[in-house]
Amino acid sequence: MIRLRAATLAAGLALLPGWAAALDVRIEGIEGDVAANIRHYLDDLDPEQFSRTRVEGETQRRAREAMRVYGYYEPDIQLRLDDRDPPRHVELVIEPGPRVTIERIDFTLAGDSREDPPFQEAIDAFPLAQGDPLVHAPYDRLRSRLANLALERGYFDWRFTDRRMEVRPFAESARLYLALDSGPRYRFGDVSIRGSHIETDRLRNMLTFAPGDPYLAGELARYNQRLGQSGWFGSITVRPRLIEGEALLQEAEAEGFLAELDAGAVEEAGPRLEMAAVDAASAVVRRGPPEVPIDIALTPADRHQFEVGVGYATDVGPRLRFSWEQPWINRYGHGLDHDLFLSAPEQRFSGVYSMPLEDPLRDSYRFQYGLRHRDNKDTRSLEATVEAARRWEFENRWVQTLYVRSTYEDFTQGGDAEQVLILYPGISWSRTRTRNPTFPDWGDRQRIAFEVSDGLWGSDADFLRMTGETQWIRMFGDDTRLVTGVGIGAIETDDFGKVPPSLRFFAGGDRSVRGYGYESLSPRNEEGRLTGGQQLLTASVELQRRLTGSWWGAAFVDTGDAFDDWGPDDLNTGAGLGVRWISPVGPIRFDIAHPFDDEDNAWRLHFAIGPEF
């Protein structure tokens, strides 16, 4: 019955206008890659477009061509078509015959490329050796690779002085010849910047190369990326200057080299060189001094950028965020950002004024200010903060921030009311690395900070505060993902009552210990009210497994607490199952967790939108 239905469906489709079926191919006498290649060559052969005799001839021709690239130059191919008109089935009985083997390999380099390691490495990586069966593809790939290297590394006068594959089927032998004369290696020339509203000295300080350095296409891609990261520009074009030499461009296009050329990875998910830059590089003048002038064309980014976000999380319920960003406000590249966040337990307004220094992406001064109101469980707080900070980013991507913060907080915590004005300097080190930030398949985040307040400089509270956290994401294969993390904190003080709630420790919630309410874990006073803790310890392990497509299942265990003395007798632990959906707007996470140390609640639901970090 199944076969009858399939045949009826095929017959019905064949009657549809414009429907064409490829030949059904059966092959005997050869298998593996060679047989697969024959089927590939015959895939688009439409028997309705040819006479029966032509179909036979075309099948023979394509099959022989498919076998030739694997070194079979004299196969005996017997074929039989079915009796239908047009035919739909062909049987190939193949006697492959002798296979050509490599008798000689002669690959040479001339010009400056002889002293440039990637060229010799490409030749050394050629997978075939004398006496091996001939396969065309590795030779073609090497030819393309050498041409790509020449363009990527500034050998704009390159040419192949010899590129031959001599095949002698009667002798069952082949000789491979490839000789590249790269000519001299060009160097970066003068850099011309136009259209910038930012001081050009700042942009030159961001260069990843200097005039006179050996040309590398990847450096142009890196510089393009750095300009984009500044946020100052709406459009960016970084390209070698097009002078003349169209013949070189046409030759590269004819060989198909440019279709495969890219700048390579600069970082984990590094930038790729745009084809416009490659095209321009390919057309650099072939005569004259070996220098490549670089032209940079820029247009300003919008001076005012607005964003509105609406979301929901179990911890805070519905939430609304409104941001107003000014990526540049003057020719020095200073920026100003404002952010308004509204939810039931918390409302805050903050602003950041940034002043880039000599290396704008790595060094800056930042001035922040903010107002925050909190009304959550046993915490009532109205807070005003100002901060001045100096930021450095190092080559290893660690960010060091040295800051001085002043906070006025009028609060009631656990029934105890207080007003404090504290001035405390601090220092932090942090680093975040991810691949595919929306739903990372690899990433980690670390942060550690120290803050100190003392009455010697007018603070109402004396304390030393330390916080630290680490989170890790790793993939195992394509369908298993591990997310884990640890958080710690400690406050050393003689009068904990003077430490405001914004600096005390609480645990529990969507991003802490699931199974427990938002900031519901902390020491309690005699009346059973939350007071916040002097120490914090949390840990989480989550294993995710792809269910299908963008849907993932998760199993997790969280543990932790906020407490007054190190070495808590019992950590609060929750465990559960969840679902992750990688939606167009970002990951959506739904969890159901069981709190093992909360007798009043058997289960708690957690819902959040956004990546882990």
Side-chain angles (χ1 to χ4, degrees):
M1 179 64 72
I2 295 176
R3 291 182 179 178
L4 178 59
R5 289 178 179 174
T8 303
L9 177 60
L13 289 173
L15 295 176
L16 294 177
W19 184 86
L23 279 173
D24 177 31
V25 180
R26 182 168 177 257
I27 300 174
E28 294 183 7
I30 199 164
E31 55 187 18
D33 292 341
V34 182
N37 202 42
I38 293 173
R39 290 189 175 90
H40 174 71
Y41 270 63
L42 296 177
D43 271 348
D44 60 349
L45 177 57
D46 181 5
E48 291 187 348
Q49 304 298 319
F50 305 100
S51 67
R52 189 179 187 87
T53 302
R54 181 70 182 278
V55 171
E56 291 181 350
E58 190 68 13
T59 303
Q60 279 270 6
R61 185 188 68 80
R62 295 191 183 196
R64 291 180 180 277
E65 185 177 344
M67 296 184 67
R68 189 177 298 126
V69 299
Y70 283 93
Y72 295 100
Y73 278 78
E74 296 181 319
D76 179 25
I77 302 177
Q78 302 295 325
L79 64 86
R80 187 177 70 84
L81 300 171
D82 63 32
D83 295 332
R84 287 177 289 183
D85 189 19
R88 294 299 183 194
H89 178 80
V90 61
E91 293 184 3
L92 299 176
V93 180
I94 301 175
E95 174 57 47
R99 190 174 186 183
V100 170
T101 58
I102 299 174
E103 179 185 33
R104 181 179 180 183
I105 295 177
D106 188 0
F107 299 153
T108 61
L109 298 171
D112 289 352
S113 64
R114 288 178 299 181
E115 307 299 326
D116 201 352
F119 289 87
Q120 189 60 51
E121 291 169 3
I123 291 175
D124 292 342
F126 186 70
L128 302 179
Q130 185 175 332
D132 288 345
L134 174 64
V135 181
H136 289 202
Y139 177 83
D140 295 334
R141 286 195 296 267
L142 176 61
R143 190 161 53 92
S144 295
R145 178 59 180 154
L146 292 177
N148 289 345
L149 282 172
L151 292 175
E152 291 173 10
R153 303 181 69 80
Y155 298 91
F156 300 120
D157 297 331
W158 70 273
R159 65 191 182 96
F160 286 120
T161 56
D162 194 2
R163 49 179 180 181
R164 289 177 293 146
M165 180 183 293
E166 294 183 356
V167 180
R168 296 173 172 84
F170 59 89
E172 302 174 16
S173 66
R175 298 176 180 178
L176 308 182
Y177 300 93
L178 193 60
L180 174 72
D181 183 356
S182 68
R185 185 176 186 181
Y186 282 62
R187 296 180 176 272
F188 286 110
D190 293 335
V191 177
S192 172
I193 301 175
R194 60 182 176 86
S196 175
H197 56 296
I198 305 298
E199 282 192 338
T200 57
D201 286 346
R202 289 185 175 268
L203 305 187
R204 292 183 185 277
N205 287 337
M206 297 167 64
L207 283 169
T208 60
F209 57 89
D213 288 348
Y215 178 90
L216 273 176
E219 292 302 315
L220 298 186
R222 288 185 58 202
Y223 185 54
N224 194 314
Q225 181 190 50
R226 299 198 77 193
L227 292 174
Q229 289 174 342
S230 71
W232 294 333
F233 306 105
S235 66
I236 303 167
T237 302
V238 179
R239 58 188 300 173
R241 183 173 302 163
L242 180 63
I243 303 176
E244 57 183 45
E246 294 296 333
L248 179 61
L249 176 60
Q250 293 170 2
E251 179 181 353
E253 288 177 337
E255 295 290 349
F257 298 146
L258 296 186
E260 302 177 7
L261 178 59
D262 64 62
V266 177
E267 298 179 344
E268 290 84 3
R272 291 189 179 276
L273 187 64
E274 294 182 355
M275 284 307 302
V278 177
D279 291 348
S282 305
V284 172
V285 62
R286 301 184 67 178
R287 294 184 176 86
E291 288 191 353
V292 185
I294 305 301
D295 290 335
I296 302 169
L298 307 165
T299 60
D302 293 338
R303 196 164 188 172
H304 301 277
Q305 301 175 13
F306 302 93
E307 182 179 345
V308 177
V310 178
Y312 180 88
T314 314
D315 287 347
V316 298
R319 56 189 180 186
L320 174 67
R321 178 176 176 269
F322 176 80
S323 65
W324 170 26
E325 181 179 356
Q326 295 176 267
W328 60 276
I329 60 176
N330 56 34
R331 62 193 178 96
Y332 302 108
H334 294 186
L336 180 61
D337 301 336
H338 289 96
D339 188 86
L340 175 65
F341 175 85
L342 301 174
S343 69
E346 180 178 346
Q347 306 84 45
R348 66 173 181 264
F349 174 78
S350 60
V352 179
Y353 185 90
S354 58
M355 296 175 55
L357 299 177
E358 185 174 354
D359 188 339
L361 295 182
R362 294 187 173 182
D363 300 330
S364 63
Y365 286 112
R366 295 189 177 186
F367 302 93
Q368 304 183 48
Y369 51 91
L371 296 171
R372 182 168 72 157
H373 174 260
R374 298 173 65 197
D375 188 350
N376 181 53
K377 295 183 175 64
D378 298 323
T379 302
R380 307 286 187 276
S381 173
L382 180 62
E383 170 191 353
T385 299
V386 294
E387 176 185 299
R390 173 70 164 88
R391 179 183 182 276
W392 299 263
E393 181 174 341
F394 305 115
E395 290 287 349
N396 59 9
R397 299 181 62 184
W398 279 93
V399 175
Q400 174 180 280
T401 305
L402 185 65
Y403 55 91
V404 176
R405 184 180 299 155
S406 178
T407 297
Y408 172 79
E409 195 159 346
D410 184 351
F411 65 89
T412 300
Q413 181 65 58
D416 296 329
E418 191 66 76
Q419 296 179 357
V420 295
L421 175 64
I422 53 178
L423 177 66
Y424 55 107
I427 187 170
S428 69
W429 295 272
S430 63
R431 182 178 68 177
T432 299
R433 303 179 297 176
T434 61
R435 298 172 185 166
N436 182 22
T438 301
F439 191 69
D441 55 17
W442 181 94
D444 55 65
R445 178 175 67 176
Q446 288 81 36
R447 185 179 187 276
I448 187 169
F450 297 91
E451 299 166 331
V452 60
S453 176
D454 198 290
L456 291 176
W457 50 75
S459 288
D460 292 335
D462 297 342
F463 62 81
L464 173 63
R465 185 174 186 267
M466 183 276 290
T467 56
E469 64 175 332
T470 180
Q471 289 181 280
W472 299 80
I473 295 175
R474 292 294 185 267
M475 287 283 289
F476 300 93
D478 295 328
D479 301 320
T480 304
R481 189 170 181 259
L482 178 67
V483 182
T484 184
V486 175
I488 59 173
I491 300 173
E492 182 63 36
T493 180
D494 293 331
D495 187 357
F496 187 63
K498 289 287 188 179
V499 178
S502 60
L503 297 177
R504 300 184 187 188
F505 296 115
F506 299 85
D510 297 339
R511 293 182 177 271
S512 180
V513 183
R514 284 165 287 188
Y516 301 85
Y518 176 56
E519 295 190 348
S520 64
L521 300 179
S522 92
R524 297 176 181 267
N525 59 20
E526 296 178 353
E527 299 174 352
R529 296 179 178 179
L530 299 171
T531 61
Q534 290 186 239
Q535 285 87 33
L536 174 74
L537 175 62
T538 61
S540 176
V541 176
E542 179 173 312
L543 186 66
Q544 301 174 359
R545 180 74 179 176
R546 189 192 304 271
L547 302 176
T548 179
S550 297
W551 290 88
W552 293 67
F556 58 86
V557 177
D558 298 339
T559 189
D561 204 349
F563 37 88
D564 287 332
D565 297 306
W566 279 112
D569 295 332
D570 295 297
L571 292 176
N572 291 278
T573 301
L577 301 174
V579 175
R580 310 286 180 263
W581 177 44
I582 317 306
S583 76
V585 297
I588 296 177
R589 298 176 288 128
F590 178 82
D591 295 320
I592 180 169
H594 172 62
F596 291 103
D597 303 290
D598 187 348
E599 297 178 356
D600 297 330
N601 295 287
W603 300 96
R604 187 175 183 86
L605 299 179
H606 295 273
F607 177 81
I609 300 176
E612 289 84 3
F613 56 87

